[in-house]
Structures are given as C-alpha cells and as structure tokens.
Amino acid sequence: MTSKSWIERDRASRLQSRYTFPEVLERGNGTLVYDTDGREYLDFVSGQVCAVAGHAHPKYADAIAKQAHTLIQRGSAFTDTCQIQLAEKVAQMCPGDLNKSYFACTGSESNEAALRMAKLITGRHEVAALVRGYHGLTAGSFGITGLGGVFREGYGPMQPGAVFLPAPYVYRCPFKGCDQDGDSCAMTCLEHGLDTLRRTSSGRPAAVFVEVVQSAGGVIVLPPEWLREVRRLCDEWGALLVIDEAQTGFGRTGKMFAFEHSGVMPDILTLSKSLGGGVPVSAVVVRDGLAAELEAKGYYQSSSHTGDPLLSAAALANLMIIEEEGLVENARKVGELLHRGLEQLRKEYDIVGDVRGLGLFLGFEIVESKETRTAASELAETVSAHCQRDGLLIGHVPGAVSENIIRILPPLTTTASEAERALEILGSALAQASSQAG
Ligand SMILES: Cc1ncc(COP(=O)(O)O)c(C=O)c1O
C-alpha cells in the first residue's frame, strides 16, 4: 500500500492534532528509516529525538522481546528486578549524589513529578522558568512552558505561579540595543529576568526549571556563566534547580549530561526521551539529601505505569548500548564534524545566519540575509522539503514554533560518512533555497 492510501486512512481514523508529513514511515535500521513507498531517509531527528542508539538496534530489540516473554507489568505497589537495575544504572551514570529515581513514562510526567517534589520540599508554589522553554503539554508541565500561540490559544488560563525569565538568546537579544558580546549579553538578560521575578512574584520561587539547550525554543545554549549564577541564586533563595535533560541526557551534547559543560549540579534532574531510547520511560533523579527529605515528608506519586518491567528493560538495554559502544564520545566527534560542516555552509550561504549547539545537538537559523538577520520561515520550509525529497529528515516541521530554525539531532550512533552525506544534501538544499531567495 502506498503512503497516499495510508494517509487517507490516517485522516479518516485518527484525530489530527498537529502537522503530519505525507510520507508514512514503516521501518528503520540504524540511522535510516523507510517509508511505505520504499524510500530511504537519513533520520537526523532520531524519531522524536528518542532513538539515540538508532532504529532497531539488535541488542535493544532483543531485550524488549525477552522481557515481553517474562513480565510486562506489575502492580504499582510492587517493585521488580528490571526497575531496580534501571534505578541503580541511572544512579551510577549520574554524577555526584544524584542517586535516587522515580520513574514515569513521558517527559511531561517527569516534570509534573518534579514540580510536586519542589512544592512539597519548599512549601512554596511559585516557579521560575524560561521564555522559549519547553517542558511538556500536561497542565503543570505546560504551566512552566514558555511558548505561546497555538499552544495557548483556546485552552483557557494556565496553572498559576509561573514567572518567565527571558532566555539568553544572544543572536537575537530580546533587549534590542544591548549591543554586548555573548556572555555579558546573557548576564544582562538574567538581570532583567531577576527584576521581573522580584516585581511579579514573592521573589523566592520553589524551583527554577531550565533546559541547558532549549530545543523547541530554537537550540539556544544557556551560557555556563548564566547557569552558574542561577545555581548560586537558587542556593541563596532556598529554591531547587531542576534541569530538564529530556533531549540532552545520556550523551547527546558530547558529555553524559549537558549540565556537565558548566559544572553546575541540579537538585533534580528530569530525563525522558534519551533514557528510553524509543519506548516511553522517564525519570526524576534527586540528590540523596532531597530523597531523604521527600521520603520523610511522605512524598506521594504514582501511576499505572511507573518503571514497568518492559520499559525498564528497554531503558537498561539502551543505557548499556550507550556505554558499551562509546556513544558519548561518538556524539562529540561526529558532532564536531557536523558543526564544522555547518559553519562552512554558513560561510557559503548568506541565508544561514547562525550555527550553534553542542555535540550532536545542533541548529542553524535561516534568514533573509546575514546583514538583516530577518527570520525566513518559508525559506526554512524550502530547505527542509528539499532535504526530505533527497532523503534527509531534519528538525523542521511546517508551522513549528521555532519557525526559521532547523534542528539537527541524529542518533548518537551516526557515522562520519552519514554526517558527510547529510551535509551534502543540506548544501544542495541551501543552494536551491538561496536561488529562490534571489
Ligand atoms: C526538554 C523537554 N522536556 C519535556 C518534554 C515533554 O516530553 P513528552 O513529550 O515526552 O511529554 C520535551 C518534549 O519534547 C522536551 O523536549
């Protein structure tokens, strides 16, 4: 059956809730995925940024099959051997005293649980988060998501208590005329944010939630200096620093965790996509002292699916693959190659305005020209469509929130030759979009 007929069935039976590409995917292998018309694509978005060990990795698939024949589910009042081993593995891979985990399914859920922890520990309800930050679409996680438009219109009031600080988006400084270089610009941004916090809230939040690299918001890397100052302020306020590493966790940025680039330790770490490697499993990892406090206060959190054996076995296999195959180091090396290649494309094409990111978490802005920096969303769509036609999936969906920004997030197993092939396809897409731009 062709993609076209599958899409007709999709439209007839599935509630359409966001843009859906006309190609229908049916299988994958490593960095490659295939549609129902038999076309092959390099998947440079890792599914929904989850398939960090690539698609259909044999060890991952075998672990799932084996566990499916053993025990898939248990009551939430029991624990099981897979969940225990996963909790131990996560503690071993996390630095410092981040040693105790609660498991859920999605990234949104992990942030809901983190919010409940922060409120119970501090007895406060206000939370600081960032403009352009994305933490999920359930009520609490969405309440701290700094995105507007289609996300908000029509859904009524948000959960109260969130204060949004401006993201240190240096290429497009929200404070026009700030005219400072990278780090000082980011610190000025933080000062403005703190002023907002003081004037619109008690000034003493329960927690500050951040992504070290904002993804949906446009691949904005929080400068280490900015993060260190926020860590210091959290200590001063008695607030918890919650770092959401749904996408950056387990190696994508070339270090095991993105917070390690700054040396800043979170109090609470939320993990999802890259933890499960494709199956829905998420975790909230807390420091030992905090875990003791939560347990003493009777922290209550549960779900029909918390650390299910099937999901835990899959996550465990995924983490073993990351370690055994040296994927963190591969992300660093292949990331450098891709970053250099993208920089080269930036020099060649006036419509590439900025290239940024860490490891295999990269992004670039499509602009009308380097001089004006005007965001060119339609041109970004052209680039993305050309890439897709030529067999490369990149992170740009028509009508997406990050409009003119293209994200590059391939599996951590990506080889140098796959990266070079992707750069070739991108180069030809940029050439075509540039000629369209005139
Ligand atoms: C940083 C971050 N946090 C949370 C989420 C929400 O995760 P989920 O879609 O699994 O609920 C996402 C999803 O894209 C994310 O990127």
Side-chain angles (χ1 to χ4, degrees), residues 205-431:
V208 179
F209 273 70
V210 296
E211 297 160 86
V212 177
V213 186
Q214 292 189 315
S215 183
V219 191
I220 296 162
V221 184
L222 301 186
E225 201 43 42
W226 188 101
L227 258 178
R228 284 192 279 267
E229 181 58 9
V230 168
R231 172 72 272 178
R232 194 193 64 72
L233 288 165
C234 282
D235 291 339
E236 187 182 306
W237 299 330
L240 302 179
L241 177 60
V242 183
I243 298 191
D244 178 347
E245 296 230 17
Q247 301 198 12
T248 49
F250 299 108
R252 175 157 299 284
T253 66
K255 288 197 185 280
M256 190 60 83
F257 298 100
F259 63 76
E260 292 177 292
H261 291 277
S262 62
V264 161
M265 281 288 289
D267 299 298
I268 299 181
L269 173 64
T270 59
L271 300 165
S272 47
K273 299 171 184 275
S274 54
L275 168 64
V279 302
V281 56
S282 60
V284 190
V285 193
V286 300
R287 306 178 86 144
D288 287 324
L290 207 54
E293 231 178 303
L294 284 164
E295 285 170 0
K297 287 192 165 169
Y299 177 68
Y300 189 88
Q301 188 78 37
S302 189
S303 154
S304 304
H305 303 282
T306 163
D308 282 357
L310 184 74
L311 306 179
S312 296
L316 197 55
N318 179 50
L319 299 185
M320 300 300 273
I321 294 167
I322 291 172
E323 275 190 344
E324 285 167 13
E325 298 189 6
L327 297 188
V328 184
E329 179 57 11
N330 192 60
R332 193 187 62 73
K333 274 208 223 134
V334 179
E336 269 173 23
L337 187 159
L338 261 176
H339 207 142
R340 272 200 307 277
L342 291 174
E343 263 303 324
Q344 188 54 40
L345 292 173
R346 190 183 68 81
K347 286 184 192 137
E348 277 170 44
Y349 296 101
D350 198 34
I351 61 167
V352 181
D354 193 32
V355 171
R356 49 185 185 253
L358 295 170
L360 280 177
F361 196 149
L362 298 167
F364 56 96
E365 296 218 13
I366 300 292
V367 293
E368 283 176 7
S369 74
K370 282 192 177 62
E371 200 196 335
T372 64
R373 295 192 181 189
T374 305
S377 307
E378 279 180 22
L379 280 184
E381 261 178 50
T382 305
V383 173
S384 171
H386 277 293
C387 285
Q388 198 145 321
R389 193 202 56 198
D390 291 350
L392 172 67
L393 306 183
I394 52 177
H396 188 275
V397 177
V401 273
S402 46
E403 300 149 345
N404 70 318
I405 296 157
I406 291 181
R407 290 183 288 168
I408 304 286
L409 298 137
L412 310 189
T413 47
T414 301
T415 62
S417 66
E418 286 169 335
E420 273 153 14
R421 172 90 192 106
L423 285 166
E424 261 172 46
I425 298 174
L426 263 172
S428 101
L430 287 166

Side-chain angles (χ1 to χ4, degrees), residues 129-131 164-169 174-175 186 188-190 192-194 196 226:
L130 290 188
V131 171
F164 291 99
L165 318 182
Y169 185 5
F175 303 100
T188 305
C189 213
L190 181 58
H192 281 280
L194 295 176
T196 305
W226 188 101

